[in-house]
């Protein structure tokens, strides 16, 4: 049955792919987005990639009356509108709290007066802090954040109290959150607030913790988010990607079309209401390996990524998803092989121009003592 779906932040990277999938599967889509300049550039205007059948309401989620207009006739909401960047959240604190926490509060207050059938909220792997790890004796542990002394020595790996190196393992939803940036705190607040208010007002709510999402349409000129997009922006300007620490930190890269499929499942599932789910690929990759892979697929393997041996405040060492819960409860199954996804990204990059702002963004963090 056709659902009328509102996607907040739907003109962005992930939202536009969800819009495509919903329209393809017979739903109607309205997008509420303020076209943030950091993501969409200063000129603004409707992004050319946004499907013509998606209705665009330009407005801020914090604007109550605009939001109420956008909610008119809507059955389900996918809430993506957010300021997205771990490093930037550590100094642009008021703006992150306003957009992410207050924005979600305004949405939920509007929904409390006019409940919808379903709410899907985008959370993030950042809520875990360090992912789960194992000691040599096989016991699973939630690693402590690395201390400044350790990082200053360039000793990057996670260790237990006795100094033994811990081996990262897939992180399930049951891992206790360990919030190490304002952005992580925002995402946790968003998911909890949505689940609490959803339950109170009979709105079936599902929270999805996305891991590192990649694919076409990622904002290449936004230096604060999306490691593959940031590396791509460097390569398109014939500069080496800058890799923090030693590059051996592990992440989970999930293709945006798999994330879109997960959102559709969350919109229709009869099980898992009121729960959170990891949406990743279930595979781990080192950051240096993806910098090398990207340079190769864009035909620039002569450019060697530069390992900075620096660390950024709020960064974690390893985190990748255990997706067994989303497989069994939502029926989620990632389809896009990483190599095929990278090839597709490379083909899209061919037609793109990118303003590489990473040096100024890193200088900003350095000036504030957030990179060392
Ligand atoms: N990209 C990832 O790897 C990733 C990982 C984990 C979670 N997420 C979450 O997924 C969601 C979408 O992320 P994305 O990668 O598509 O980011 P994006 O920046 O491409 O999209 C976010 C959209 O929200 C809009 N927006 C920002 N503030 C707004 C406001 N106040 N009112 C209305 N619209 C506003 C922006 O203009 C943009 O179009 C976010 O909630 C993000 O936290 C993303």
């Amino acid at each position: 049955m056709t659902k009328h779906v509102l996607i907040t932040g739907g003109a962005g990277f992930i939202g536009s792919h969800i819009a495509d999938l919903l329209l393809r599967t017979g739903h109607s889509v309205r997008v509420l987005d303020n076209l943030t300049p950091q993501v969409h550039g200063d000129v603004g205007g409707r992004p050319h990639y946004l499907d013509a059948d998606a209705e665009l309401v330009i407005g801020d989620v914090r604007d109550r009356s605009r939001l109420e207009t956008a909610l008119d006739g809507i059955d389900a909401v996918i809430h993506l509108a957010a300021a997205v960047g771990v490093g930037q959240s550590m100094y642009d604190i008021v703006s992150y709290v306003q957009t992410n926490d207050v924005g979600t509060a305004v949405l939920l207050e509007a929904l409390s007066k006019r409940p919808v059938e379903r709410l899907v909220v985008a959370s993030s792997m950042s809520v875990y802090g360090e992912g789960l790890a194992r000691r040599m004796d096989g016991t699973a542990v939630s690693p402590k954040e690395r201390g400044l002394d350790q990082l200053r020595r360039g000793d990057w790996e996670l260790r237990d109290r006795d100094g033994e190196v811990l081996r990262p393992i897939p992180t399930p939803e049951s891992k206790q959150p360990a919030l190490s940036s304002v952005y992580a705190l925002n995402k946790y607040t968003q998911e909890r607030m949505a689940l609490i208010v959803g339950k109170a007002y009979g709105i079936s709510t599902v929270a999805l913790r996305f891991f590192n999402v990649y694919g076409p349409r990622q904002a290449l000129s936004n230096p604060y988010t999306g490691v593959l997009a940031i590396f791509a922006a460097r390569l398109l300007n014939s500069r080496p990607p800058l890799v923090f620490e030693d590059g051996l930190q592990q992440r989970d890269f999930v293709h945006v079309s798999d994330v879109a499929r997960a959102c559709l499942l969350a919109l229709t599932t009869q099980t898992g209401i009121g729960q959170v789910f990891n949406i990743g690929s279930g595979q781990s990759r080192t950051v240096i390996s993806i910098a090398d892979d990207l340079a190769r697929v864009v035909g620039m393997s002569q450019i060697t990524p530069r390992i900075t041996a620096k660390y950024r405040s709020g960064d974690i060492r390893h985190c990748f998803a255990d997706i067994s819960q989303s497989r069994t409860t939502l029926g989620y199954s990632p389809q896009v092989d990483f190599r095929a996804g990278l090839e597709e990204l490379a083909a899209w990059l061919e037609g793109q121009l990118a303003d590489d702002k990473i040096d100024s963004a890193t200088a900003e963090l350095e000036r504030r003592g957030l990179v060392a």
Side-chain angles (χ1 to χ4, degrees):
M1 209 177 76
T2 300
K3 295 269 179 232
H4 301 287
V5 183
L6 174 69
I7 310 176
T8 71
F13 165 47
I14 298 175
S16 67
H17 285 274
I18 299 174
D20 290 350
L21 180 60
L22 291 180
L23 290 166
R24 268 206 313 277
T25 46
H27 301 290
S28 85
V29 172
R30 185 179 294 151
V31 162
L32 174 68
D33 199 300
N34 69 352
L35 304 178
T36 302
Q38 185 170 301
V39 180
H40 297 276
D42 293 326
V43 183
R46 184 185 176 105
H48 62 87
Y49 55 69
L50 188 63
D51 193 302
D53 288 333
E55 178 191 350
L56 173 63
V57 176
I58 298 177
D60 197 301
V61 272
R62 291 165 295 177
D63 178 343
R64 224 174 268 261
S65 72
R66 203 80 185 127
L67 187 60
E68 279 165 12
T69 309
L71 280 170
D72 190 37
I74 290 296
D75 306 311
V77 175
I78 301 181
H79 180 42
L80 305 176
V84 187
V86 170
Q88 191 180 30
S89 78
M90 299 297 283
Y91 62 87
D92 225 350
I93 301 170
V94 172
S95 138
Y96 269 70
V97 169
Q98 280 178 347
T99 301
N100 297 349
D101 297 350
V102 178
T104 304
V106 173
L107 170 67
L108 293 174
E109 212 169 280
L111 292 179
S112 73
K113 292 182 201 140
R114 192 208 162 283
V116 286
E117 291 166 21
R118 183 69 54 117
L119 171 63
V120 178
V121 60
S123 183
S124 161
M125 51 83 82
S126 63
V127 305
Y128 293 119
E130 291 294 352
L132 211 60
R134 220 184 265 299
R135 285 207 186 90
M136 295 257 256
D137 67 8
T139 37
V141 286
S142 294
K144 292 251 171 330
E145 257 180 59
R146 297 163 297 171
L148 276 183
D149 283 350
Q150 177 185 348
L151 292 167
R152 285 194 185 117
R153 287 197 303 276
D155 176 9
W156 308 119
E157 280 308 336
L158 296 164
R159 295 178 184 278
D160 70 5
R161 259 178 276 116
D162 307 323
E164 184 194 297
V165 172
L166 298 168
R167 190 169 58 81
I169 57 174
T171 298
E173 293 83 350
S174 55
K175 181 192 176 273
Q176 200 63 24
L179 309 164
S180 58
S181 67
V182 172
Y183 174 72
L185 178 62
N186 291 159
K187 297 313 288 183
Y188 193 58
T189 304
Q190 284 188 319
E191 69 167 52
R192 288 297 114 187
M193 220 183 336
L195 292 170
I196 291 167
V197 176
K199 188 172 174 201
Y201 290 92
I203 303 167
S204 300
T205 303
V206 178
L208 301 178
R209 291 178 178 164
F210 303 155
F211 280 64
N212 287 67
V213 189
Y214 75 97
R217 304 179 190 163
Q218 206 158 3
L220 292 177
S221 303
N222 183 353
Y224 299 101
T225 180
V227 62
L228 265 170
I230 292 170
F231 288 173
R234 296 285 293 179
L235 290 165
L236 289 180
N237 287 284
S238 304
R239 297 195 187 123
L242 298 179
V243 177
F244 286 100
E245 304 188 8
D246 59 357
L248 296 178
Q249 53 277 47
Q250 295 177 37
R251 295 289 186 275
D252 181 326
F253 291 87
V254 57
H255 192 268
V256 66
S257 60
D258 284 323
V259 172
R261 273 188 284 274
C263 290
L264 181 57
L265 289 167
L267 214 50
T268 49
T269 183
Q270 295 307 314
T271 51
I273 304 301
Q275 294 181 28
V276 292
F277 295 95
N278 283 343
I279 303 301
S281 68
Q283 291 173 359
S284 73
R285 292 177 193 280
T286 63
V287 170
I288 188 68
S289 78
I290 63 120
D292 286 331
D293 287 348
L294 185 67
R296 188 177 36 73
V297 295
V298 298
M300 293 207 172
S301 17
Q302 76 282 5
I303 299 185
T304 313
R306 201 167 88 224
I307 294 179
T308 63
K310 292 183 175 180
Y311 63 88
R312 267 184 317 189
S313 183
D315 263 358
I316 51 122
R317 181 65 178 167
H318 307 297
C319 192
F320 46 94
D322 178 335
I323 53 171
S324 34
Q325 193 64 38
S326 40
R327 271 188 202 281
T328 48
T329 310
L330 297 180
Y332 167 72
S333 159
Q335 315 271 301
V336 181
D337 163 72
F338 184 67
R339 278 189 198 287
L342 263 197
E343 300 280 350
E344 182 211 28
L345 182 67
W348 175 76
L349 285 169
E350 264 180 33
Q352 302 298 312
L353 287 175
D355 201 0
D356 168 23
K357 298 183 184 140
I358 192 68
D359 285 335
S360 55
T362 307
E364 181 70 45
L365 292 177
E366 275 173 356
R367 199 170 63 74
R368 295 167 187 272
L370 296 169
V371 172

